[in-house]
């Protein structure tokens, strides 16, 4: 039926299934094809992400699609609101950059039919993209569980792609944390179904009240998702995993994967259970976020290795995201999307994704030039890979929070929300976090530009890779300017018109 | 009724005891045996709850395939594979914190579940009401292949990812080569006898479980697990060679299920109400065709998972 073929909701199906199909096809075809399929799919996937964002923005309402024609509660609904569209765009950009970078890294030896690392990387990168989109678009808590599993199983093998015992150990530790997180999430999902007879997010938001089952379910799910997000003090798995993976994988893991579980925490907290939040719970989450900022920054300061320092910086930057929760406590449901803390949180998510991906890729080039990533041995590495060091510097601006970077705009919005609501203690933590970031990042940049006696080699294909890294870093550094043209995309929430969100 | 309650209480006590044994026993081999027993007991619990589909899956996957995987892991450790050094083993404080966290979750669940008054809300009547549109008679298959087909499709991709994850652990030189399963040429006579006796029966049972799944408990996952078990048996006994992971027919068998599912899903956009929708007149044959394809893929995926990462180069 032609009308169905023109349903714009099919864009959501494409966003999830296009990369998933690519991953399956890559397994079926000879190994050389895995990379080609990924590169063929990437422009299509990017176009789908742009089209979804455009459609949501132009309509001013969420886009939705009932899979198989079965409406909730029986069937599954895919939904895109403003934050989903943002996630789709950020994922497409970072995946593309990681892919372009990895093309030089993973080029098979001449004569080899397929290499283990290349086939595994490309297949999992596509599966991971599908999983991220499924997390952003899922409208049903069990469908989101499947999306999380897809994400976990595509992310973990990337950690030990290098094959050393050390990375295998890091991957196993990640697996334990991630699986405990999955089990807790699944327990909560089962409890919610038992209590309310539906798993659809929008239907649940109308039915769930402050009953013991809902409170326990929410606590279990948020705890499980926090373990997957590496929220302090559940962050122990992250530094070895993100520091040990190949650069392109680290960029995706640190930039995108931990954001997906955070995205679901926001969904649960603000869309499914708006009535459940109490001041104590909101402040506990805020306190863990503050703990992450301080502990992560101090640990980053103490690292002797570049990649570990960047990984600890991820622990700290994740903390800022969680400050959204206490800063939006008490704000009426209808006004949340217009609040500075809401825009600030999402901007932090986007700018950290771009900046951290750029930083890990830049660190990859720096480590390749130096042959190691010990910070005290990097004096003068800027002469071998000048553009990579420039990108590292620009990404650093965003992490520290200097204008006009996305990190600056995000932290400014969060700070102003803290001041406006009289919660100055969160503001103090944020300012301290920015200072500490400057303390651990600027010495590295200083060393890279300093004179040194060590000999550095220019890496293979350095030019094309440096360009990719610089583009990402420039995007992160200029993201703050997007605040000058508030597109209002982020204000389109699932709550903005329940009828439009596809509730029968 | 009282006899039923006595059985239930006894079963619950056994499940709890088996779980405790699995955690407390010091020997890894004994713990795995405990885990397999736990899976089989849990299957009985599902039967008592009238969830025969879940029981079959729990027995096949929770008890069977996972059990074999764990036994192979323990075997590898006994043969002297170097265990990963991950710092000192967890101290008493860590153990106590873990135990407390588990106890807190259990207590919270008990509080909530025991506090429920009246029957829990359910979608079962709604599923039953719409089942005729699928041509099926087993509502579980209706949920898996029609109402929530996207979940099932993505789960099939997850299964493939798990296999890729296992393969990714192979040494670089062995990529595309053969996994090692059992000790080639040194299988015991008993194993060889079983591997000749069981597969003809098992293959029929597996296909039967798949076929009846449309109308009665059963389906692709359970049927696939039985077929996988038969193939594993034949490979372990050395009667059937373990294929190199680069073999085109193997790759085709792995992906045919998800690809067939996807193809029917996309066709639904043009011949039915949308992605993963079935035209009512052909719903049942299409669903059976998808199930047949995913049964094959599941069987091959599970068997290759048990076989593990390739260890030696094979013919490309």
């Amino acid at each position: 039926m032609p009308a169905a073929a023109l349903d714009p909701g099919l864009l959501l199906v494409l966003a999830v299934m296009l990369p998933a199909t690519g991953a399956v096809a890559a397994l079926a075809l000879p190994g050389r094809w895995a990379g080609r399929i990924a590169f063929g799919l990437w422009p299509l996937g990017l176009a789908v992400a742009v089209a979804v964002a455009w459609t949501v923005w132009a309509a001013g309402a969420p886009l939705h699609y009932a899979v198989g024609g079965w409406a909730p509660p029986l069937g599954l609904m895919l939904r895109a609101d403003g934050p989903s569209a943002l996630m789709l765009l950020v994922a497409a950009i970072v995946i593309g950059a990681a892919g372009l970078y990895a093309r030089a890294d993973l080029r098979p030896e001449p004569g080899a039919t397929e290499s283990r690392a290349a086939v595994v990387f490309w297949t999992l990168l596509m599966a991971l993209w599908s999983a991220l989109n499924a997390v952003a678009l899922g409208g049903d808590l069990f469908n989101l569980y499947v999306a999380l599993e897809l994400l976990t199983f595509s992310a973990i093998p990337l950690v030990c792609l290098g094959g050393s015992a050390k990375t295998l150990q890091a991957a196993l530790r990640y697996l334990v944390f991630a699986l405990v997180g999955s089990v807790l999430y699944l327990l909560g999902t089962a409890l919610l179904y038992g209590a309310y007879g539906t798993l659809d997010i929008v239907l649940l938001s109308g039915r769930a009240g402050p009953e013991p089952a809902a409170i326990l379910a929410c606590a279990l799910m948020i705890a499980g998702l926090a373990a997957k997000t590496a929220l302090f003090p559940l962050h122990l798995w992250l530094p070895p995993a993100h520091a040990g993976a190949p650069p392109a994988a680290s960029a995706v893991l640190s930039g995108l994967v931990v954001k997906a579980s955070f995205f679901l925490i926001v969904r649960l907290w603000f869309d499914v259970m708006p009535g459940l939040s109490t001041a104590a719970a909101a402040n506990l989450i805020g306190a863990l976020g503050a703990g992450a900022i301080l502990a992560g920054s101090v640990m980053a300061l103490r690292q002797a290795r570049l990649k570990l320092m960047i990984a600890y910086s991820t622990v700290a930057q994740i903390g800022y995201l969680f400050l959204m929760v206490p800063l939006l406590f008490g704000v009426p449901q209808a006004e949340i999307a217009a609040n500075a803390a809401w825009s600030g949180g999402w901007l932090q998510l986007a700018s950290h994704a771009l900046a951290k991906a750029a930083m890990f890729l830049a660190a990859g080039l720096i480590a390749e030039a130096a042959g190691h990533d010990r910070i005290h041995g990097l004096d003068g590495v800027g002469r071998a890979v000048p553009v990579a060091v420039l990108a590292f510097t620009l990404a650093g601006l965003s992490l520290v929070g200097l204008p006009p970077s996305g990190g600056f705009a995000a932290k400014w919005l969060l700070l102003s929300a803290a001041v406006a609501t009289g919660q100055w203690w969160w503001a103090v933590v944020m300012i301290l976090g920015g200072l500490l970031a400057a303390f651990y990042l600027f010495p590295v940049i200083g060393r890279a530009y300093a004179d040194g006696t060590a000999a550095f080699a220019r890496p293979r294909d350095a030019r094309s890779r440096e360009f990719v890294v610089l583009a990402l870093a420039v995007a992160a550094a200029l993201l703050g300017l997007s605040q000058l043209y508030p597109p209002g995309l982020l204000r389109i929430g699932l709550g903005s018109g329940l009828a439009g969100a596809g509730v029968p | 009724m009282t006899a039923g309650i006595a059985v239930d209480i006894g079963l619950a006590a056994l499940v709890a005891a088996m779980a405790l044994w699995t955690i407390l026993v010091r020997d890894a081999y004994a713990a795995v045996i405990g885990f397999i027993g736990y899976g089989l007991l849990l299957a009985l619990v599902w039967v008592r709850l009238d969830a025969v589909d879940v029981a079959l899956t729990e027995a096949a996957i929770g008890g069977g395939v996972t059990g074999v995987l764990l036994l192979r892991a323990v075997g590898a450790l006994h043969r002297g594979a170097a265990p990963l050094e991950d710092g000192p083993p967890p101290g008493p404080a860590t153990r106590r914190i873990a135990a407390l966290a588990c106890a807190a979750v259990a207590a919270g669940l008990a509080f909530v579940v025991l506090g429920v008054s009246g029957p829990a809300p359910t979608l079962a009547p709604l599923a039953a009401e719409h089942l005729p549109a699928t041509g099926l008679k087993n509502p579980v298959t209706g949920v898996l292949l029609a109402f929530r087909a996207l979940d099932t499709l993505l789960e099939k991709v997850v299964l493939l990812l798990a296999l890729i994850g296992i393969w990714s652990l192979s040494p670089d030189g062995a990529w595309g080569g053969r996994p090692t399963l059992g000790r080639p040429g040194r299988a015991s006579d008993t194993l060889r006898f079983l591997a000749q006796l069981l597969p003809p029966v098992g293959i029929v049972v597996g296909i039967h479980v798949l076929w009846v799944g449309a109308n009665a408990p059963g389906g692709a996952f359970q049927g696939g697990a039985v077929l996988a078990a038969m193939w594993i048996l034949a490979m372990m006994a050395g009667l059937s060679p373990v294929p190199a992971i680069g073999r085109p027919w193997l790759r085709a068998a792995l992906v045919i299920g998800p690809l067939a599912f996807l193809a029917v899903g996309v066709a639904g956009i043009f011949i039915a109400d949308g992605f993963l929708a079935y035209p009512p007149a052909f719903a049942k044959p299409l669903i059976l065709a998808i199930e047949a394809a995913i049964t094959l893929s599941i069987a091959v995926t599970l068997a290759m998972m048990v076989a593990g990462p390739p260890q030696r180069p094979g013919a490309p």
Side-chain angles (χ1 to χ4, degrees), chain A residues 1 13 17 21 24 27 65 68 73 75-76 114 116 123 127 140 142-143 150 168-169 172-173 193-195 197 213 216, chain B residues 84-86 108 112 120-121 123 146-148 151 154 158 161 164 168-170 172 175 251 255 262 270 273-275 277:
Chain A
M1 127 183 15
V13 172
M17 295 318 302
T21 311
V24 175
L27 190 61
Y65 188 78
L76 300 171
E114 63 178 61
R116 179 189 64 88
T123 312
D140 175 283
F142 185 78
N143 187 243
L150 203 56
L168 195 57
Q169 205 175 76
L172 269 179
R173 197 192 280 196
Y193 177 73
L216 180 67
Chain B
L84 286 170
E85 294 293 334
D86 195 10
V112 168
L123 292 174
F147 308 141
R148 300 185 66 99
D151 283 348
L154 291 178
V158 173
L161 290 183
I164 295 172
S168 79
L169 300 174
S170 68
D172 268 323
W175 179 258
R251 300 291 184 95
V255 300
L262 199 74
F270 304 101
D273 282 344
F275 181 65

Side-chain angles (χ1 to χ4, degrees), chain B residues 106-138:
Chain B
L109 287 177
F111 174 74
V112 168
V113 172
L114 297 177
V116 169
S117 54
T122 170
L123 292 174
L126 196 63
E129 185 192 320
H130 288 97
L131 198 57
T134 64
L136 303 167
K137 293 205 174 59
N138 178 5

Side-chain angles (χ1 to χ4, degrees), chain A residues 286-356:
Chain A
L288 295 179
I293 295 175
L294 298 177
S297 301
V298 170
M299 287 304 290
L301 203 52
R302 295 174 52 188
Q303 298 307 311
R305 285 183 177 271
L306 186 60
K307 288 194 79 180
L308 267 174
M309 185 204 82
I310 303 173
Y312 273 105
S313 150
T314 296
V315 173
Q317 296 285 329
I318 285 168
Y320 289 93
L321 299 173
F322 284 88
L323 295 185
M324 259 170 104
V325 171
L327 290 177
L328 287 168
F329 180 73
V331 177
Q333 177 76 357
E335 292 165 26
I336 280 180
N339 194 289
W342 182 257
S343 332
W346 290 116
L347 196 57
Q348 166 70 9
L349 183 145
S351 60
H352 178 254
L354 299 178
K356 190 48 63 75

Side-chain angles (χ1 to χ4, degrees), chain A residues 35-56:
Chain A
R36 294 181 195 166
I37 295 171
F39 276 97
L41 277 181
W42 182 62
L44 296 176
L46 180 66
V48 169
V50 171
V52 169
W54 172 261
T55 313
V56 170

Side-chain angles (χ1 to χ4, degrees), chain A residues 214-237:
Chain A
I215 293 169
L216 180 67
C218 217
L220 291 172
M221 293 168 92
I222 289 181
L225 291 167
K228 285 176 181 280
T229 314
L231 173 62
F232 173 84
L234 301 174
H235 66 283
L236 295 172
W237 61 266

